[in-house]
Amino acid sequence: MPGVDAADEFETIERLFRPLAHPEWGRGLIDDVAALPSRPGYDLILTKDAMVEGVHFLPDDPLDTVARKLLRVNLSDLAAKGAEPFGYLLACFWPEASGWLEREAFAAGLAEDQVKFGVHLLGGDTVVTPGPASFSLTALGWVPHGRAVARAGAQPGDLIVVTGMIGDGILGLKAARGELGLEDERVAALTAHYRTPEPRVDFALAVREHAAAALDVSDGLIADMGHMASASGVGILIDLEKLPLSRAATAWFETRVDPVAALTELATGGDDYEIVMAVPPAAVEGLKRAADASHLRLTVLGAATQGEGVTVRHGGEVVPVKTTGWRHG
Amino acid sequence: MPGVDAADEFETIERLFRPLAHPEWGRGLIDDVAALPSRPGYDLILTKDAMVEGVHFLPDDPLDTVARKLLRVNLSDLAAKGAEPFGYLLACFWPEASGWLEREAFAAGLAEDQVKFGVHLLGGDTVVTPGPASFSLTALGWVPHGRAVARAGAQPGDLIVVTGMIGDGILGLKAARGELGLEDERVAALTAHYRTPEPRVDFALAVREHAAAALDVSDGLIADMGHMASASGVGILIDLEKLPLSRAATAWFETRVDPVAALTELATGGDDYEIVMAVPPAAVEGLKRAADASHLRLTVLGAATQGEGVTVRHGGEVVPVKTTGWRHG
């Protein structure tokens, strides 16, 4: 509808987003389009995630971290496919009551992570909504032609390997909500992980070189393993006691009376943004060397098998897992 | 946040969106990413527009037409750059109360226009919102390398030429709101134009071959001419009495007491989705032949000049235009 909050959206683009634009391909955000030269020998990888206040982030989350998380969850998707990110398009739905402070914080968060991850804004749209703050981001990356790592591709006998730690996503959500009775330092670390997870961008090349299948842990480790199992036509076996836990997660775990329930909660929580891979046994050594080189922890959690679905074990006993933590957000 | 309206979003993708996916590049929507092979010699053109219920479309608008309009306004952006569309990514924010009927209608609208315009869904996200229905679409098209038509590029002496009719966008909005006292047939035609404007996709090649600068009329003809003038560093002169009016717009115009005010309203209303171009005099003949071949009306509205800004005239007299109908949506 013409004329809605007109100058504001124009100024938002002019003052906050234009400085973030790719110097060449974003056309200074003047043209409502980006123009991207082809890169022969490479495929363009595109992914899109949306976030809504009160659903995917908390009303209390600072908007600079919301912007960074939005960018990072998309970069995480690219990294899990073995792609090198370079840019993004952004749609902002600002609540009617939102002012310059919120928008400036949001743009500042983007600016910070653009430098950190070497990406630029290519275009987008900014509108006003009577609803909650909402955002949608389309991230773009390059991968050598045909080398994008799919969810399909796991073979029986492949090892299931994950980067970093599992469980800080769901514990971070609890921490940000004030639901965790841990020391302040732990709560701060977990909240920070929830608000600005670390996408494994630097590990994309290793994923591409060594993994047969991969995806990032966003819906929850077990749900995501379910996606891989179903896309690959294999079964996947996970040993819960192998879950790599951060120091904060370990501190939480030690307060729980039921260790299996606690580990299951961490394995179904989601929002971890680690990369979980199916790796042929012969390729594990190379993957580990790459992880060592970037000081990244790797953990073998189980294996792909004949069959279907995800089997979760603890101490060799099968654990029934009811909720798989599925979501699409 | 894990688990929000889980199965519903999964089923939405599985049942409604997977059938719309590009057979190859969309990876069956299984991978959360699209993988697009490079097309050497071509630039990829990307554009993104967002729409919110109650802001950019009416709560009464059928959701199949909302989907089609969302796709079409993006295709219109591509056409004005001379690009040939092939695909899109989509983010849907569904209200908590929305059910299958709404989602099915939305997907049916996309399916219809995918066939009409030869495009496919490449990926996206679908989430639930406590706010109004909102959508964001990133459209992709190809253009030979370096041949995207910019807003910048108009030279003094170029003619300002527009496709189709001007004013049906704003009159269509009035019609859809029940604010027009015209015959039913006129109201229906205008409402249809508002809900499913006709992007000039088939004219993209002609734009690329003949126009020095171009954009689509979305903010309002005069505001959009302001964008072109400022991007190109020229002035633009528009003669209001030359505005091409549809039969329905003519019927409305004849009911107005102040013809200049009426024409100004049509020239600032927006939502027309015609292509307005700066065309070197020597290129006008070629552009007209292309328009004749596709039975598309072309109208010379004025010219680019030395100077800056948009000058609007009627019968040779300068008309002061206060509202430029600017928006970004």
Side-chain angles (χ1 to χ4, degrees):
Chain A
M1 229 145 285
V4 174
D5 198 23
D8 215 8
E9 298 318 302
F10 175 62
E11 275 183 66
T12 297
I13 293 171
E14 188 78 15
R15 188 148 74 77
L16 301 182
F17 289 143
R18 189 156 296 162
L20 303 178
H22 190 285
E24 190 180 347
W25 303 339
R27 300 170 83 96
L29 306 187
I30 287 171
D31 246 319
D32 270 357
V33 301
L36 191 66
S38 80
R39 188 175 174 191
Y42 284 77
D43 294 343
L44 179 69
I45 305 296
L46 301 113
T47 186
K48 189 178 181 88
D49 269 318
M51 286 175 39
V52 178
E53 179 183 321
V55 182
H56 306 91
F57 63 94
L58 302 171
D60 284 349
D61 288 337
L63 273 173
D64 61 323
T65 69
V66 171
R68 295 167 75 199
K69 181 164 186 173
L70 176 67
L71 184 56
R72 287 168 179 226
V73 302
N74 279 284
L75 296 183
S76 177
D77 270 328
L78 293 182
K81 308 289 106 182
E84 166 201 346
F86 67 87
Y88 64 99
L89 293 96
L90 175 68
C92 298
F93 304 78
W94 301 106
E96 282 151 358
S98 83
W100 282 105
L101 274 182
E102 287 91 337
R103 296 176 188 215
E104 283 164 2
F106 191 87
L110 290 176
E112 187 175 340
D113 272 4
Q114 285 201 177
V115 173
K116 182 173 166 76
F117 296 107
V119 299
H120 282 94
L121 180 61
L122 291 166
D125 200 3
T126 168
V127 299
V128 166
T129 176
S134 306
F135 305 96
S136 164
L137 191 145
T138 303
L140 293 84
W142 298 118
V143 75
H145 177 57
R147 297 292 307 280
V149 182
R151 294 178 173 192
Q155 300 276 349
D158 287 349
L159 297 177
I160 300 300
V161 183
V162 71
T163 62
M165 308 297 177
I166 291 297
D168 285 6
I170 182 68
L171 293 179
L173 172 60
K174 289 176 191 287
R177 282 175 170 165
E179 294 169 6
L180 275 195
L182 297 178
E183 294 165 46
D184 289 353
E185 190 193 343
R186 308 285 187 219
V187 168
L190 288 168
T191 302
H193 179 279
Y194 172 71
R195 287 183 175 158
T196 51
E198 202 62 50
R200 299 304 181 189
V201 172
D202 291 344
F203 205 60
L205 177 61
V207 174
R208 197 161 84 210
E209 290 193 334
H210 304 291
L215 75 171
D216 71 334
V217 182
S218 54
D219 294 347
L221 175 69
I222 294 175
D224 289 313
M225 289 295 79
H227 305 333
M228 184 187 281
S230 115
S232 299
V234 299
I236 288 180
L237 190 66
I238 296 290
D239 287 311
L240 269 190
E241 69 274 15
K242 293 183 179 163
L243 275 196
L245 303 187
S246 69
R247 290 201 302 169
T250 302
W252 174 83
F253 179 71
E254 286 165 356
T255 68
R256 313 315 290 172
V257 289
D258 181 343
V260 175
L263 291 174
T264 302
E265 190 171 349
L266 301 182
T268 53
D271 251 0
D272 292 312
Y273 303 105
E274 299 293 351
I275 302 179
V276 61
M277 296 158 274
V279 186
V284 170
E285 202 46 48
L287 190 72
K288 279 190 173 156
R289 274 199 301 274
D292 287 346
S294 44
H295 305 289
L296 182 61
R297 178 160 168 176
L298 276 193
T299 305
V300 176
L301 292 175
T305 64
Q306 304 281 355
E308 60 180 23
V310 182
T311 305
V312 180
R313 295 190 306 196
H314 186 268
E317 301 285 313
V318 171
V319 176
V321 174
K322 287 204 196 75
T323 168
T324 51
W326 180 286
R327 58 158 192 160
H328 242 274
Chain B
M1 227 145 290
V4 174
D5 198 23
D8 215 10
E9 298 319 303
F10 174 60
E11 277 184 63
T12 298
I13 294 170
E14 188 78 15
R15 188 149 73 79
L16 301 182
F17 289 145
R18 190 155 295 161
L20 303 177
H22 190 285
E24 189 180 348
W25 303 338
R27 299 169 85 93
L29 306 187
I30 286 171
D31 247 319
D32 269 358
V33 301
L36 193 65
S38 80
R39 187 175 175 188
Y42 283 77
D43 295 344
L44 179 69
I45 305 297
L46 301 113
T47 187
K48 188 177 179 89
D49 270 316
M51 286 176 38
V52 178
E53 179 184 322
V55 182
H56 306 91
F57 62 93
L58 302 171
D60 283 349
D61 287 338
L63 273 172
D64 61 323
T65 68
V66 171
R68 295 166 74 196
K69 182 165 185 174
L70 176 67
L71 183 57
R72 288 167 179 226
V73 301
N74 279 284
L75 296 182
S76 177
D77 271 329
L78 294 182
K81 307 290 107 178
E84 166 202 346
F86 67 88
Y88 64 100
L89 293 94
L90 175 68
C92 298
F93 304 77
W94 301 107
E96 282 150 359
S98 83
W100 281 107
L101 273 182
E102 287 92 336
R103 296 176 189 215
E104 283 164 2
F106 191 88
L110 290 176
E112 186 174 342
D113 272 4
Q114 285 201 177
V115 173
K116 182 173 166 75
F117 296 108
V119 298
H120 282 95
L121 180 61
L122 291 166
D125 201 2
T126 168
V127 299
V128 165
T129 177
S134 305
F135 305 96
S136 164
L137 190 144
T138 302
L140 293 85
W142 298 118
V143 75
H145 177 58
R147 298 292 306 281
V149 182
R151 293 177 174 193
Q155 301 277 348
D158 287 349
L159 297 177
I160 300 300
V161 182
V162 70
T163 61
M165 307 296 177
I166 292 296
D168 285 4
I170 182 69
L171 293 179
L173 172 59
K174 289 176 192 285
R177 282 174 170 164
E179 295 169 6
L180 274 194
L182 298 178
E183 293 164 47
D184 289 352
E185 188 194 346
R186 307 286 187 220
V187 168
L190 289 168
T191 302
H193 179 279
Y194 172 72
R195 288 184 174 159
T196 50
E198 202 62 50
R200 298 304 181 188
V201 171
D202 291 343
F203 205 59
L205 175 63
V207 174
R208 195 161 87 210
E209 290 193 334
H210 304 291
L215 74 172
D216 71 333
V217 182
S218 53
D219 294 347
L221 175 70
I222 293 174
D224 289 313
M225 290 294 80
H227 305 332
M228 184 187 281
S230 116
S232 299
V234 299
I236 288 179
L237 190 66
I238 297 289
D239 287 312
L240 269 190
E241 69 273 18
K242 294 183 180 164
L243 275 196
L245 303 187
S246 68
R247 291 202 301 171
T250 302
W252 173 84
F253 179 73
E254 285 166 356
T255 68
R256 313 314 291 171
V257 288
D258 182 342
V260 175
L263 291 173
T264 302
E265 190 171 350
L266 301 182
T268 54
D271 251 1
D272 291 314
Y273 304 105
E274 297 294 350
I275 302 180
V276 60
M277 297 157 274
V279 186
V284 169
E285 201 47 47
L287 191 72
K288 279 191 174 155
R289 273 197 303 272
D292 286 347
S294 43
H295 305 287
L296 183 60
R297 178 161 168 174
L298 276 192
T299 306
V300 177
L301 292 174
T305 64
Q306 305 280 355
E308 61 181 22
V310 182
T311 304
V312 179
R313 296 190 306 197
H314 186 268
E317 302 284 314
V318 171
V319 176
V321 175
K322 288 204 195 77
T323 169
T324 52
W326 180 287
R327 57 153 193 166
H328 242 276

